[in-house]
Amino acid sequence: MLLAIAAVWSPAVAHADTSPGAVVSVEPLRREIWVPGTADAYRITHWTQGPDGATLSSGAVYLPPGEPPVGGWPVVAWAHGTIGLGDHCAYSVRGPGLPERDFPYLAAWLAQGYAIVASDYAGLGTPGPARYLNGIDEAHSVVDMVRASTQAFPELASKWVVVGQSQGGGAAMTVARYATQFGGPALDYRGAVATGVPAYIENLVAPLGPGLPPVSLGENLNAYLVFILSGLRATYPELGIDGILTDAGKALVDVADSACYDELATRVADVPIGSLFVKPLRWIPDIDRILQGYMGIPESDYDRPFFVGQGLTDTDVPSPTTIALAARL
């Protein structure tokens, strides 16, 4: 039978095991954000590995109906797309940014007998900053969400795949590269599905600066860029990101630190990108290498099959970049 948890289980964090995947709390997930067809759903808080050591992360667990098969329900780790950086935006708090698209998709996996675990990514819904598009950070969060879920729910199998879209498509690719390494022998990683992968976005970000034409890139791309600046500032405080921004640019990055996507997109819709900067991003020494390490999609050393899909009319993740990634792979 499905594990019944009537109340929050939360050992004292001060004395908790802080190893990757160690569970801190399990509580019922708000029914308003259950995937259709879910038999039971929970929110898990657990430890993961961040840039500065152990940090908290959280996420949602959806259990399918019926009796689990021998060995337990196989797991789909869902890596969500851009929803924002504020704690109130977290997937396990607010649900997906596009429920009309994501819920039917996830429901199809549930109907086929998969449990779904959806990481919020560290800093979303837990203390500390969220580091948007930090691939390694997101990969640790996803892998450790799987580890925590299999510890909290013995009816889950150790075998799992990662599926991601947009921001989550990039996360899924980085998970695919590091899942075996980060998960160790306790988890049986099988493969990945990544759609709308933000490949080589670092090459589009690096040339930005005050010399750009005075036009807006539109609310979507503007919001993504400001979220990227927020993530860079949180991950690499030594870079002095604020030092290359105008007062208006710093104010918008401050807003991004705690905003959901729709909130920020409205604020930046008509902002000319060049107006954010007093110096070009390349004023920062070695920024091209830093950006590649921060958000670059791995090009080698995958040890399991993966699938990459791309919409040819996608205006957020341009298809030529994904085609270039496929060629490199």
Side-chain angles (χ1 to χ4, degrees), residues 86-270:
D87 287 342
H88 64 294
C89 319
Y91 183 96
S92 67
V93 174
R94 196 184 189 200
L98 293 173
E100 68 281 3
R101 179 194 68 185
D102 294 349
F103 276 162
Y105 181 64
L106 297 176
W109 289 104
L110 272 176
Q112 294 179 58
Y114 291 90
I116 296 169
V117 305
S119 174
D120 291 328
Y121 312 137
L124 256 174
T126 48
R131 301 172 177 90
Y132 181 69
L133 290 190
N134 184 325
I136 295 295
D137 204 43
E138 293 168 350
H140 277 297
S141 294
V142 171
V143 173
D144 291 333
M145 179 65 187
V146 175
R147 193 196 316 265
S149 300
T150 57
Q151 291 178 8
F153 299 94
E155 64 269 43
L156 299 188
S158 63
K159 63 181 179 180
W160 66 286
V161 297
V162 60
V163 178
Q165 159 67 18
S166 193
Q167 176 191 2
M173 290 297 288
T174 309
V175 169
R177 164 61 180 83
Y178 292 102
T180 300
Q181 177 182 333
F182 290 174
L187 296 180
D188 182 9
Y189 166 68
R190 296 298 183 93
V193 174
T195 58
V197 177
Y200 305 121
I201 303 301
E202 64 273 18
N203 296 336
L204 306 179
V205 173
L208 297 179
L212 295 175
V215 295
S216 167
L217 300 177
E219 64 177 28
N220 289 358
L221 297 182
N222 276 7
Y224 300 148
L225 171 63
V226 178
F227 280 140
I228 289 169
L229 291 172
S230 170
L232 283 171
R233 187 172 70 173
T235 304
Y236 307 109
E238 69 277 9
L239 296 182
I241 293 292
D242 282 352
I244 67 169
L245 299 177
T246 61
D247 289 342
K250 284 183 284 188
L252 285 174
V253 175
D254 288 343
V255 170
D257 289 346
S258 57
C260 297
Y261 168 77
D262 47 358
E263 301 166 18
L264 183 65
T266 300
R267 291 283 296 270
V268 302
D270 299 318

Side-chain angles (χ1 to χ4, degrees), residues 35 38 42 56 69 91 136 149 206 213 216 218 225 231 251 255 268 277 285 290 294 304 307 322:
V35 172
T38 298
Y42 299 91
L56 288 172
Y91 183 96
I136 295 295
S149 300
S216 167
L225 171 63
V255 170
V268 302
F277 298 92
I290 291 167
Y294 176 80
R304 297 292 187 275
F307 170 87
T322 309

